[in-house]
Amino acid sequence: MFSRWWHYALALVVSLGVVGTALAGLAAALIYPNLPPLEALTDYKPKLPLRIYTADGALIREFGEERRAFIAIDKVPAYMKQAIIAAEDERFYSHGGVDTLGVLRAAASNLLSGGAKEGASTITMQVARNFFLSNEKTFTRKLSEAMLAMKIEHSLSKDKILELYINQIYLGQRAYGFEAAARTYFGKPMRELSLAEFAMLAGLPKAPSRYNPVVNFPRAKARQEYVLGRMRTLKFIDQPTWQAAVKHKLVIRQTRQQADVSADFAAEMVRQVLFEKYGESIYSSGYKVITTLQRSQQAAANRAVWQGIADYDQRHGYRGPESQVNLPADKAQRKAAIESALEDRSPVSNMQPAVVVDANAKVIRAQLHDGKVVEITGNSLKWVAHWIAGKKGRQLVPGAVVRVQAVGSTPQWRLVQLPEVEAALVALNPNDGAITALVGGFDFSRNKFNHVTQAWRQPGSSFKPFIYSAALEKGYTPATLIEDAPLTLSAEETGSTVWEPKNYDGSSTSGPVRMRTALTKSLNLVSIRILQGIGPNYARDYIRRFGFDPARHPPYLTMALGAGSVTPLQLAAAYGVFANGGFSVKPYLIDKVSDKDGRLLMQASPQRVGGNAPRMIDPRNAWLMTNMLQDVVRHGTAARAGQLGRSDLAGKTGTTNDALDTWFAGYNPDLVAIAWMGYDQPRSLGRRETGSQSALPIWMNFMGTALNDVPQKGWEMPGGIISVKINPNTGARLADTVWNTLLGNALGVETPSLEEYFYQEFPPPDAPAAVWGDSPDNTVAPETPTEPAASINPL
């Protein structure tokens, strides 16, 4: 009986095998002719993103749906290949596309486990599926995959197949291919990875979401150790190497942003230019853009803007929590409430969202998204003392949703807040217009409006130097005396209503002052009188030389105080004319663009001083303006910049009415930088906020880093300028040093010894009657030296 049933069973199995083979053969005969051609593999063109770099090679930004970085098989480290083979297909180099032993092993394993727990897809089969097929689990798809794998094996070498797999496979975090994954998870190229890191990546293809080390590190670590164990079993590594790799500490890059330095505003400018020229193809064609940005300067600009905004917030106090949530007593419910409160809040510029769980006069405890509780103590509490004490109806209690920030390497935590104010900084090389740093606002993810290029704001007193430059062309000199006295201007002169302008600080008028002093002290009344003297229409036409649009600067006397509108980038280019000796250079950001094969598509042709840059103002004019603007930095409204310890700096502060905008525009011979602060919807920054208080510290913070270890370099006086001695009180020119000394001794007064400069060709026919000299008080100096009194014996 048993023998008979055994024969029946064997016959059934054989029959099923025959039928199965016949069906498989029939299916193969029907499927094989319909398999797709292999051009996608033989002419592999991966969708490579647009990548943007600084001039010194730091990655700024990638644009594309997929993060990819192609790597040739001969550049792939041996450990990476071995880890992949150990994890995915140990007989890759011996089977013909389908691993029969692997199929039998998987079938046995699944039969014993009572389910489909293990697959048998080879690397070649995965390539077939990734390029041509879907992930549906059907017999037809699996058979097509196997047959297509065999077709691939007959057409391509093993190394080519492995290269396709290494570059095409999805590995989580929008990373396609192992080179992109290396940069995504570890922040470095594949060639710099360790064995432990290779094994971590090799564990991802099985289930990228399940074994993602950013999302679930313990599970990813277990998978990594499995891969290392397989490498040891296959004798790719020995026991000591395995032990070292298992113990190796892995540091996973948590942020999804792939950049070596943050420059999102500049990257968006580049993207817009390329999209306009090449369209949607820029996101998948592998274009590489080299910008003019310098990594160190860009990083310094980021820190300067962020710190400047943080300092402003500290000066103006804590505005309160972002929101308030109820914290139940039950632990599980409390945890759920905190997670819900933080779910839709992302970190902004290292400001972490958190929920206060305890608050008193000595400590604030706040819980982060990952469950970690941080403590804020000491001086960090002073800023929110009124809130903790509950004064004036303010309260900071458990359940408050706040922002916290780690400061220092220790780190120490402090309470911060998302700013409402904005700031911007742009820097460029005045000799060719290359933009070396650009920060268009506090955080691109919150506000994509680029204040460097899009914000048309009143420049305030930072515009005065261009009026003074126009005055020099009209015959004024830095020593020209101008009256600092009250003014009443008609509606015709202002373009609106009757106006009685005052000096910014409300200080009393001081009578005749020299033009140099007026600029150094930023005297409004003198600036208006200068504009009256040269004429608003002349000045409006003159500012074209600096790249300003006259339409944005109505020809009224208010133009003297910067009542028109400029962008920070426009102002940077204008100050560059002073910095480079009188030439106009057009700012540019993109140096060159190449395709994925390195072929050059675009190349900048910048204007260069000493080459093709057009001269806009007389070199003597540029030098005199710089000389006066150096006084602003030495002992004027920007004297604070003296803390940088450099003598090759010049610049001008700017503050508009009611402090709606604050500026500092400054430079040395090789670098111009403009700092701005204000609100998007203009409102006062505060009664004590000025250009020297708000914008100048941002500029100093940036320039202190940008010029660190850079030798000082002054401006050489051009020909056609001579220096003379004048009386600082009267502006009168003195004959020579010996005569000055004798005269001073005879009169019993201190010898005037201030050096003054003037154009050798001046005064022109239309100049004021007296134009000699130079000093920090706008004064017209007589053309002829004052004669000593007859009763004084010069001997």
Side-chain angles (χ1 to χ4, degrees):
M1 178 70 71
F2 177 79
S3 175
R4 188 163 56 251
W5 281 108
W6 171 253
H7 284 95
Y8 290 157
L10 181 61
L12 179 61
V13 169
V14 171
S15 298
L16 290 174
V18 171
V19 172
T21 302
L23 290 173
L26 178 62
L30 294 173
I31 292 173
Y32 193 86
N34 296 316
L35 291 176
L38 302 183
E39 281 80 0
L41 303 182
T42 56
D43 187 24
Y44 179 51
K45 294 179 180 179
K47 293 180 179 180
L48 299 176
L50 165 67
R51 289 192 176 89
I52 304 172
Y53 297 86
T54 64
D56 43 355
L59 180 64
I60 296 173
R61 186 76 183 270
E62 289 183 353
F63 288 100
E65 294 180 3
E66 303 173 356
R67 290 192 180 124
R68 291 187 184 274
F70 180 81
I71 184 170
I73 191 65
D74 59 345
K75 302 294 183 183
V76 179
Y79 273 152
M80 184 77 263
K81 299 177 191 176
Q82 292 167 348
I84 292 170
I85 289 170
E88 294 296 318
D89 189 357
E90 64 181 85
R91 283 177 287 276
F92 171 69
Y93 279 99
S94 59
H95 63 63
V98 177
D99 184 4
T100 307
L101 291 176
V103 171
L104 294 174
R105 174 183 51 77
S109 176
N110 293 337
L111 183 63
L112 292 174
S113 63
K117 302 291 186 182
E118 189 171 336
S121 290
T122 62
I123 286 175
T124 312
M125 291 169 72
Q126 292 182 58
V127 168
R129 182 168 65 247
N130 287 329
F131 276 91
F132 302 108
L133 305 172
S134 68
N135 287 321
E136 62 176 341
K137 295 182 179 181
T138 64
F139 174 77
T140 302
R141 197 276 297 166
K142 198 68 178 177
L143 184 59
S144 297
E145 181 180 299
M147 297 186 68
L148 188 54
M150 289 186 284
K151 184 176 180 180
I152 291 171
E153 290 277 350
H154 281 93
S155 302
L156 303 176
S157 68
K158 286 288 187 179
D159 278 351
K160 183 62 178 179
I161 295 169
L162 186 58
E163 180 183 83
L164 291 168
Y165 178 83
I166 286 173
N167 285 286
Q168 184 70 15
I169 193 76
Y170 177 64
L171 298 170
Q173 299 290 99
R174 288 180 46 232
Y176 288 78
F178 284 88
E179 177 67 16
R183 297 175 184 273
T184 298
Y185 292 108
F186 299 109
K188 51 189 175 182
M190 190 192 296
R191 66 177 182 274
E192 297 179 11
L193 299 186
S194 65
L195 171 59
E197 292 165 334
F198 287 133
M200 176 66 78
L201 295 184
L204 290 171
K206 183 176 178 65
S209 59
R210 180 177 176 80
Y211 297 115
N212 185 330
V214 173
V215 177
N216 193 322
F217 183 80
R219 188 181 292 162
K221 176 63 177 170
R223 176 68 177 167
Q224 178 233 25
E225 291 183 6
Y226 164 79
V227 174
L228 288 170
R230 293 287 302 143
M231 292 181 74
R232 180 185 57 180
T233 300
L234 296 174
K235 300 188 183 306
F236 290 147
I237 57 175
D238 56 22
Q239 183 70 14
T241 304
W242 171 81
Q243 288 179 331
V246 169
K247 294 178 181 179
H248 182 86
K249 183 178 179 180
L250 293 167
V251 179
I252 305 299
R253 188 174 187 171
Q254 296 296 319
T255 177
R256 293 188 177 189
Q257 179 63 38
Q258 297 299 292
D260 296 322
V261 62
S262 177
D264 288 339
F265 290 97
E268 176 60 14
M269 290 169 64
V270 171
R271 186 199 67 80
Q272 290 179 13
V273 170
L274 265 66
F275 184 83
E276 185 176 344
K277 187 173 182 65
Y278 299 109
E280 292 285 345
S281 66
I282 65 172
Y283 303 122
S284 59
S285 299
Y287 293 160
K288 179 180 179 180
V289 182
I290 304 299
T291 68
T292 56
L293 298 180
Q294 296 290 330
R295 178 176 185 167
S296 61
Q297 289 192 29
Q298 182 63 33
N302 290 334
R303 290 192 299 269
V305 169
W306 296 338
Q307 188 62 52
I309 290 176
D311 290 344
Y312 174 87
D313 262 354
Q314 288 288 320
R315 290 195 298 272
H316 291 269
Y318 187 57
R319 295 188 304 273
E322 294 181 19
S323 64
Q324 186 76 35
V325 297
N326 181 47
L327 296 183
D330 180 78
K331 288 185 178 180
Q333 293 179 357
R334 173 179 285 233
K335 179 182 178 183
I338 292 175
E339 289 178 351
S340 177
L342 301 179
E343 184 177 11
D344 296 326
R345 300 177 192 272
S346 301
V348 176
S349 298
N350 202 30
M351 296 180 174
Q352 302 287 333
V355 174
V356 173
V357 294
D358 183 29
N360 56 58
K362 294 184 177 180
V363 63
I364 296 174
R365 294 183 178 88
Q367 184 171 323
L368 305 179
H369 193 280
D370 60 3
K372 179 181 178 180
V373 176
V374 299
E375 292 189 351
I376 299 153
T377 58
N379 290 333
S380 298
L381 294 176
K382 293 181 179 179
W383 191 44
V384 292
H386 290 318
W387 286 83
I388 298 173
K391 294 181 179 179
K392 298 181 180 180
R394 300 168 177 173
Q395 279 191 320
L396 188 65
V397 296
V401 180
V402 298
R403 295 276 169 169
V404 295
Q405 185 179 52
V407 181
S409 55
T410 356
Q412 297 293 319
W413 290 88
R414 68 176 184 179
L415 197 67
V416 292
Q417 63 187 354
L418 294 179
E420 294 179 347
V421 74
E422 282 288 357
L425 186 144
V426 61
L428 55 79
N429 184 335
N431 299 305
D432 63 2
I435 297 172
T436 55
L438 189 152
V439 181
F442 176 71
D443 186 84
F444 183 77
S445 63
R446 288 182 70 217
N447 185 353
K448 293 178 172 54
F449 186 78
N450 189 338
H451 298 85
V452 166
T453 60
Q454 295 176 295
W456 291 93
R457 309 293 291 230
Q458 287 190 342
S461 295
S462 66
F463 195 74
K464 287 177 181 175
F466 308 105
I467 304 300
Y468 283 56
S469 174
L472 290 179
E473 287 297 304
K474 276 288 192 178
Y476 287 70
T477 77
T480 299
L481 288 170
I482 300 122
E483 192 72 27
D484 179 23
L487 268 173
T488 299
L489 303 176
S490 67
E492 186 180 53
E493 292 175 300
T494 65
S496 57
T497 60
V498 175
W499 180 39
E500 292 186 1
K502 300 186 183 303
N503 291 326
Y504 177 78
D505 58 2
S507 59
S508 59
T509 55
S510 53
V513 295
R514 289 171 293 168
M515 194 165 83
R516 176 186 292 273
T517 299
L519 188 60
T520 302
K521 295 182 178 180
S522 199
L523 299 178
N524 291 341
L525 295 171
V526 173
S527 300
I528 293 170
R529 280 193 166 88
I530 290 175
L531 185 55
Q532 275 183 319
I534 64 175
N537 285 299
Y538 169 77
R540 185 178 188 238
D541 184 64
Y542 181 82
I543 62 174
R544 292 178 188 269
R545 307 184 187 195
F546 299 92
F548 295 118
D549 179 5
R552 292 185 178 271
H553 300 270
Y556 301 110
L557 294 179
T558 51
M559 182 170 60
L561 308 186
S565 56
V566 302
T567 67
L569 183 59
Q570 192 181 55
L571 198 61
Y575 270 85
V577 177
F578 294 142
N580 65 32
F583 296 91
S584 173
V585 292
K586 185 178 181 180
Y588 72 105
L589 179 62
I590 299 175
D591 182 30
K592 59 184 176 182
V593 180
S594 56
D595 66 13
K596 65 181 180 63
D597 297 318
R599 288 188 292 267
L600 195 63
L601 302 177
M602 293 172 59
Q603 176 72 62
S605 299
Q607 297 171 318
R608 299 184 187 277
V609 172
N612 59 342
R615 175 169 288 285
M616 291 290 105
I617 63 174
D618 192 294
R620 298 166 298 176
N621 186 312
W623 188 89
L624 286 172
M625 286 307 307
T626 291
N627 188 260
M628 287 192 286
L629 290 170
Q630 283 183 286
D631 273 1
V632 176
V633 172
R634 289 168 182 154
H635 45 260
T637 55
R640 190 174 182 177
Q643 297 172 15
L644 295 177
R646 299 183 69 98
S647 61
D648 61 343
L649 301 176
K652 184 70 185 73
T653 53
T655 309
T656 62
N657 280 349
D658 298 323
L660 300 183
D661 300 274
T662 60
W663 299 79
F664 187 76
Y667 58 93
N668 86 337
D670 296 317
L671 188 63
V672 177
I674 308 295
W676 165 86
M677 182 177 285
Y679 287 98
D680 278 341
Q681 297 299 320
R683 71 175 196 257
S684 177
L685 289 166
R687 188 165 57 89
R688 295 184 176 87
E689 296 297 334
T690 62
S692 59
Q693 173 80 336
S694 307
L696 177 58
I698 296 175
W699 184 89
M700 290 174 59
N701 195 340
F702 167 74
M703 292 293 271
T705 301
L707 298 180
N708 187 38
D709 295 329
V710 175
Q712 297 203 45
K713 178 183 177 182
W715 289 269
E716 183 179 353
M717 183 192 295
I721 296 178
I722 61 173
S723 62
V724 298
K725 304 289 184 178
I726 67 165
N727 185 312
N729 298 315
T730 66
R733 176 183 171 192
L734 300 176
D736 54 49
T737 304
V738 175
W739 176 250
N740 294 348
T741 303
L742 292 173
L743 179 61
N745 290 338
L747 294 175
V749 299
E750 184 178 351
T751 304
S753 60
L754 183 63
E755 266 200 342
E756 302 300 341
Y757 305 95
F758 63 94
Y759 285 105
Q760 193 169 4
E761 290 85 348
F762 280 4
D766 60 344
V771 295
W772 303 101
D774 165 32
S775 126
D777 278 317
N778 297 24
T779 308
V780 178
E783 182 175 349
T784 304
T786 302
E787 294 296 333
S791 59
I792 298 176
N793 185 345
L795 299 180

